[in-house]
Amino acid sequence: MALDFTAIDFETANGFRGSPCSVGLSKVRNGVVVEEASWLMRPPENHDHFEFHNTRIHGIRAEDVAGQPRFGELFPEIGAFIGGDILAAHNAAFDLGVIRSGLEVSGLAGPAYDYVCTVMLSRRCYSLVSNSLPYAAEEAGVPLVNHHDAAEDARACAGILVDIARRNDANSIAELYLSLGLSLPSQPAFDPAFGLSKATMSALAARTGSSFERTLDRTPGIAGGWSAWPEEGPNPLPNPAAEPGHPLFGQTVVFTGDLAITRPEAKSRAAEMGARPESRVTARTTILIVGDGFVAGDLRAGRLTGKAKRVLELHAKGQQIEVVSEGEFLQMVGGA
């Protein structure tokens, strides 16, 4: 057995995960990157508008992909590069969701993939206050200069997985998962003619203005600081039928700061994925999700809410707790 896999990273044009505009791939054989590929692309038709928030993150604009093939036209090349490999992604729920939703709205069937989520493995094998890609890459000793460049992010993901396998004396993905007592997750094959994923149905319904479309209820921000205290709402129970391989499954999550969605809706989405939402940071907390445009780098810059400061104190005392940006959370639950 050998440590063989393909790492993948997508960037999207807007809040719908089925709007890929860039992809990077790194093929690993025997623990070494042997081949790389990346493409710019137009997102699927009717889902190809570029939102400011996304462009601000990755720098890709509509004019940058004008004339490029659409995702559905390009996927045969992407699929051929992946071949029969296990896929690795940092927050695999998002990148596998991009493939599924992107193909569904393109009217195309998709293959099954076994996959590895390096966010999940980072939580298991590192002790970081944030398991976002820059922090995990730094821990793995992997250079990451241009975060959100799809090719560089895929290469960093590959390096993280190789480092985690090395630390666990594993010579293959199968050995790694066996040593950690985990089962390798998989996304089954699908055909949009026989049903669509929830993320795709929600996006299609939003386009037509049906009840799936959500109204954003933002609390006005306070000049020079964090926003007013949002309405917490109830704490719903975790969905017992949620996918155990999802990065939120089994986590106890707390929200802080002003989110782009209401606090009760954020709690509902987290619970749907198997998380237990709570209203304050305690010894049970495993994830703190921060709004107000927070990014992982704010941890070092000191731009923190009271809850985030409490998390850092608990983490310093040995509690396994993680800080996640709202953007990463929305990727986990399927988009804005």
Side-chain angles (χ1 to χ4, degrees):
M1 292 187 292
L3 189 61
D4 297 346
F5 61 91
T6 292
I8 190 167
D9 180 81
F10 282 102
E11 301 296 330
T12 56
N14 54 67
F16 172 45
R17 65 188 185 184
S19 65
C21 59
S22 175
V23 65
L25 302 109
S26 289
K27 186 173 288 293
V28 173
R29 290 292 180 266
N30 294 313
V32 177
V33 175
V34 296
E35 188 178 359
E36 295 184 319
S38 63
W39 288 275
L40 289 174
M41 68 198 75
R42 283 185 295 158
E45 191 174 0
N46 298 319
H47 302 277
D48 51 3
H49 64 285
F50 279 72
E51 293 177 356
F52 171 75
H53 173 72
N54 294 66
T55 295
R56 182 180 61 182
I57 290 172
H58 52 57
I60 302 170
R61 303 164 298 174
E63 51 265 38
D64 296 324
V65 301
Q68 299 291 337
R70 292 198 184 273
F71 172 69
E73 300 167 329
L74 190 59
F75 188 76
E77 290 186 63
I78 297 172
F81 185 94
I82 297 168
D85 281 3
I86 295 170
L87 277 178
H90 204 73
N91 189 7
F94 171 73
D95 294 280
L96 271 292
V98 170
I99 292 175
R100 175 152 191 170
S101 289
L103 289 177
E104 284 178 335
V105 296
S106 301
L108 299 172
Y113 287 113
D114 291 333
Y115 65 88
V116 170
C117 178
T118 50
V119 168
M120 299 284 286
L121 294 180
S122 176
R123 287 178 183 164
R124 277 268 185 158
C125 301
Y126 299 152
S127 181
L128 304 174
V129 71
S130 170
N131 288 289
S132 64
L133 191 63
Y135 280 77
E138 181 180 51
E139 177 69 16
V142 178
L144 181 60
V145 177
N146 190 17
H147 184 27
H148 294 298
D149 173 87
E152 189 163 347
D153 284 0
R155 190 181 310 123
C157 173
I160 292 165
L161 182 50
V162 169
D163 178 68
I164 289 173
R166 178 187 58 80
R167 294 189 188 202
N168 286 274
D169 296 319
N171 296 312
S172 69
I173 300 296
E175 280 189 11
L176 174 61
Y177 270 67
L178 183 64
S179 71
L180 296 174
L182 300 173
S183 298
L184 189 67
S186 63
Q187 175 169 280
F190 57 89
D191 187 333
F194 298 100
L196 301 174
S197 64
K198 184 176 180 180
T200 299
M201 288 192 295
S202 296
L204 293 175
R207 269 190 59 231
T208 60
S210 79
S211 59
F212 276 93
E213 189 169 17
R214 295 176 169 92
T215 301
L216 301 185
D217 181 19
R218 295 186 64 99
T219 303
I222 298 174
W226 295 88
S227 60
W229 190 282
E231 175 60 41
E232 283 285 340
N235 291 314
L237 294 175
N239 173 16
E243 170 56 51
H246 193 277
L248 291 176
F249 186 86
Q251 305 293 326
T252 299
V253 303
V254 175
F255 295 86
T256 186
D258 187 28
L259 306 177
I261 57 178
T262 63
R263 190 72 60 85
E265 184 180 351
K267 290 184 173 185
S268 176
R269 293 204 200 182
E272 186 179 347
M273 299 302 171
R276 180 178 297 278
E278 294 191 344
S279 299
R280 61 190 184 92
V281 174
T282 69
R284 293 185 299 272
T285 307
T286 58
I287 295 179
L288 179 72
I289 296 162
V290 187
D292 286 296
F294 166 88
V295 294
D298 289 337
L299 290 172
R300 293 194 176 102
R303 182 176 179 265
L304 302 171
T305 64
K307 287 180 181 177
K309 291 176 182 176
R310 177 63 177 150
V311 163
L312 293 183
E313 292 169 3
L314 292 172
H315 192 272
K317 294 177 180 178
Q319 182 173 336
Q320 293 299 307
I321 192 165
E322 176 186 358
V323 180
V324 173
S325 71
E326 182 189 11
E328 292 170 307
F329 169 71
L330 289 174
Q331 284 190 344
M332 293 176 186
V333 298

